C-alpha cells in the first residue's frame, strides 16, 4: 500500500474584532498539499490503485482543486488531464496562481467538456468538480478526529465549528463524523457554515445528495443580501485586510471573507467557543488580490 501520511494541522488562538477564536490551520497541513482539498483527496493519496495511470477532472481554470490534484498526480506518478469550458485570454497570456502552479506540475489542460466518468477506462481515476464525492469523507474524518481529540484534551464541553462552504462536502462530512465520534460521550460539537457558491437551498440539496440523514447536516447561516461567487465585493476585501492586520494570518479571498462576515454577524448566538477552519486556498489569492487592488485602490488606506 502507498504510504504518505499527513501530520495533524496546528491549532492556535486569534482575536478578531474583539472576539477570541480558535483557528485550525489546515492551510499548514503540508507545503504543497494542504487545505480542505488535501483532506478530500487524501483517500487517493493513501490507497492502492493498481490499474490507474491518470487522473481526469474538470472545473474552473483557477480552482484550488485543480492545483491540489496536480500535486496528488505528481506525488503518485500519475498523468493528469483537466478539462475547462473556458480560459480567460488574460490568464493564458499571463499564467499565475493555481493555473500556473498546476501547469508547472505537468497538468494537461483541455478546453472542452470532460464528458462523464463512464467514458473512461480503469486506467483513469475520474474526480468530480471540487471533490464532491463519497471518497472525500475518508480524509475529513481524520480532520474530525484531530478536532475531537483536541476538544477532549482542552475540556471544552460544547464546541462550535465554523467554515465557509462551496460544494458543502467538507462541512457535511465534518458534522457527520464529529457527531459519530461524540455519540457516546458528553461532548457536543456543532458545525456551522454558509453557502459561498449558491444559496441556502442549493447547499441543503448538496448535503442531501451526500447524506440523507438530516441530523448529520451542518447548520446554515446566511447574510440577508444575495452573494455571487467570485464577484468582487468591497466588504469582502475590507474584512480580508482587517483579518490580516489583526491576526497576521493570510486567509483565502474567495470563501473566507464571506465566512468571517457571516460568522461575525451571528457571533451573539454562540455561548461557547468557536473554532474556525482555515481551509487553505491562498495560492488563489495571487489572481484575486490584484483584481481587488485594481477595483478598490483606496481601500487599504481607509
Ligand atoms: C474548496 C474550498 C472551499 C469549499 O469546500 P467545499 O468542501 O466544496 O464546501 C472552501 N474554502 C477553500 C479555501 C477551498 O479551497
Amino acid at each position: 500500500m502507498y504510504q504518505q501520511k499527513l501530520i495533524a494541522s496546528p491549532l492556535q488562538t486569534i482575536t478578531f474584532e474583539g472576539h477570541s477564536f480558535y483557528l485550525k490551520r489546515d492551510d499548514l497541513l503540508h507545503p504543497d498539499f494542504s487545505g480542505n482539498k488535501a483532506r478530500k483527496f487524501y483517500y487517493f493519496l493513501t490507497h492502492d490503485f493498481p490499474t490507474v495511470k491518470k487522473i481526469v477532472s474538470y472545473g474552473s481554470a483557477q480552482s484550488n482543486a485543480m492545483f491540489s490534484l496536480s500535486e496528488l498526480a505528481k506525488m503518485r506518478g500519475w498523468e493528469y488531464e483537466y478539462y475547462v469550458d473556458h480560459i480567460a485570454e488574460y490568464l493564458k497570456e499571463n499564467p499565475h496562481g493555481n493555473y500556473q502552479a498546476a501547469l508547472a506540475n505537468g497538468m494537461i489542460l483541455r478546453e472542452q467538456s470532460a464528458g462523464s466518468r463512464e467514458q473512461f477506462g480503469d486506467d483513469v481515476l475520474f474526480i468530480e468538480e471540487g471533490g464532491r464525492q463519497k471518497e472525500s469523507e475518508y480524509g475529513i474524518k481524520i480532520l474530525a478526529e484531530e478536532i475531537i481529540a483536541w476538544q477532549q484534551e482542552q475540556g471544552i464541553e460544547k464546541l462550535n465549528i465554523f467554515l465557509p462552504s462551496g460544494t458543502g462536502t467538507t462541512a457535511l462530512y465534518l458534522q457527520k463524523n464529529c457527531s459519530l465520534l461524540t455519540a457516546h460521550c458528553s461532548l457536543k460539537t456543532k458545525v456551522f457554515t454558509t453557502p459561498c457558491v449558491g444559496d441556502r437551498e442549493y447547499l441543503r440539496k448538496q448535503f442531501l445528495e451526500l447524506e440523507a440523514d438530516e441530523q448529520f447536516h451542518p447548520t446554515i447561516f446566511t447574510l440577508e443580501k444575495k452573494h455571487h461567487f467570485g464577484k468582487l465585493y468591497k466588504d469582502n476585501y475590507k474584512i480580508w485586510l482587517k483579518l490580516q492586520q489583526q491576526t497576521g494570518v493570510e486567509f483565502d479571498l474567495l470563501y473566507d471573507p464571506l465566512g468571517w462576515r457571516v460568522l461575525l454577524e451571528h457571533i451573539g448566538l454562540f455561548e461557547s467557543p468557536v473554532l474556525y477552519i482555515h481551509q487553505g486556498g491562498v495560492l488563489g489569492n495571487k489572481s484575486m488580490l490584484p483584481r481587488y487592488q485594481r477595483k478598490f485602490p483606496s481601500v487599504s488606506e481607509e
Side-chain angles (χ1 to χ4, degrees):
M1 175 148 126
Y2 190 85
Q3 290 287 343
Q4 174 99 36
K5 297 277 180 237
L6 299 175
I7 51 155
S9 68
L11 222 150
Q12 66 183 98
T13 49
I14 54 168
T15 303
F16 185 51
E17 298 293 81
H19 303 281
S20 175
F21 300 94
Y22 293 108
L23 182 64
K24 178 77 170 156
R25 300 292 304 271
D26 262 14
D27 57 319
L28 302 179
L29 212 44
H30 180 276
D32 305 310
F33 192 64
S34 70
N36 73 348
K37 302 307 179 293
R39 299 286 189 184
K40 290 190 198 187
F41 301 145
Y42 193 54
Y43 179 86
F44 302 112
L45 182 67
T46 51
H47 287 74
D48 237 354
F49 297 91
T51 62
V52 166
K53 296 196 165 55
K54 177 160 68 176
I55 294 175
V56 171
S57 190
Y58 62 98
S60 101
Q62 288 283 33
S63 92
N64 297 331
M66 175 192 71
F67 167 68
S68 293
L69 286 176
S70 78
E71 287 293 336
L72 173 66
K74 196 167 81 172
M75 289 192 265
R76 297 294 314 245
W78 292 331
E79 286 172 49
Y80 175 37
E81 236 172 60
Y82 189 79
Y83 290 77
V84 292
D85 290 338
H86 174 75
I87 312 167
E89 276 311 311
Y90 179 78
L91 186 60
K92 267 192 215 170
E93 283 156 25
N94 308 278
H96 55 277
N98 286 323
Y99 177 80
Q100 180 185 40
L103 287 176
N105 280 339
M107 173 178 72
I108 299 158
L109 199 68
R110 306 224 186 272
E111 213 172 337
Q112 65 190 74
S113 162
S116 63
R117 66 165 72 224
E118 288 75 33
Q119 76 195 64
F120 298 99
D122 62 2
D123 59 329
V124 164
L125 183 63
F126 189 86
I127 299 195
E128 299 294 341
E129 180 169 13
R132 187 169 62 90
Q133 52 194 39
K134 304 267 181 209
E135 289 89 343
S136 292
E137 183 167 6
Y138 180 81
I140 297 167
K141 181 179 178 202
I142 298 172
L143 170 61
E145 286 165 356
E146 286 174 25
I147 292 172
I148 300 298
W150 168 85
Q151 183 184 348
Q152 208 145 25
E153 207 179 273
Q154 300 282 314
I156 300 172
E157 275 295 304
K158 285 188 181 163
L159 179 69
N160 304 296
I161 301 176
F162 192 96
L163 70 167
S165 280
T167 64
T169 308
T170 310
L172 186 274
Y173 285 136
L174 190 59
Q175 177 66 82
K176 180 183 169 190
N177 284 282
C178 284
S179 295
L180 292 174
L181 285 164
T182 55
H184 303 291
C185 67
S186 65
L187 299 184
K188 291 245 175 330
T189 315
K190 216 165 144 48
V191 175
F192 298 82
T193 189
T194 191
C196 297
V197 174
D199 59 8
R200 174 188 288 275
E201 236 349 86
Y202 158 84
L203 190 56
R204 229 181 67 82
K205 283 204 188 101
Q206 295 283 105
F207 290 162
L208 278 171
E209 268 184 38
L210 294 169
E211 174 60 59
D213 190 344
E214 291 188 41
Q215 71 163 348
F216 290 136
H217 288 194
T219 304
I220 302 173
F221 286 156
T222 56
L223 295 181
E224 199 105 336
K225 253 175 105 179
K226 209 174 148 85
H227 186 274
H228 297 274
F229 188 62
K231 210 176 136 181
L232 305 182
Y233 293 93
K234 198 176 194 175
D235 284 343
N236 284 3
Y237 186 31
K238 276 182 163 174
I239 200 165
W240 183 84
L241 287 167
K242 263 194 208 169
L243 278 160
Q244 187 126 324
Q245 283 155 6
Q246 293 180 27
T247 70
V249 178
E250 181 179 358
F251 285 87
D252 125 285
L253 266 163
L254 263 178
Y255 299 89
D256 286 324
L258 185 62
W260 280 103
R261 283 172 62 196
V262 170
L263 175 54
L264 286 185
E265 195 169 291
H266 295 83
I267 198 74
L269 300 175
F270 295 107
E271 283 165 3
S272 50
V274 178
L275 169 75
Y276 189 95
I277 302 186
H278 192 319
Q279 301 179 88
V282 291
L283 186 56
N285 291 353
K286 287 206 164 53
S287 48
M288 281 299 272
L289 187 56
R291 292 177 61 207
Y292 267 118
Q293 286 164 337
R294 277 195 299 272
K295 182 153 184 185
F296 304 112
S298 62
V299 163
S300 51
E301 285 96 47
E302 274 173 17

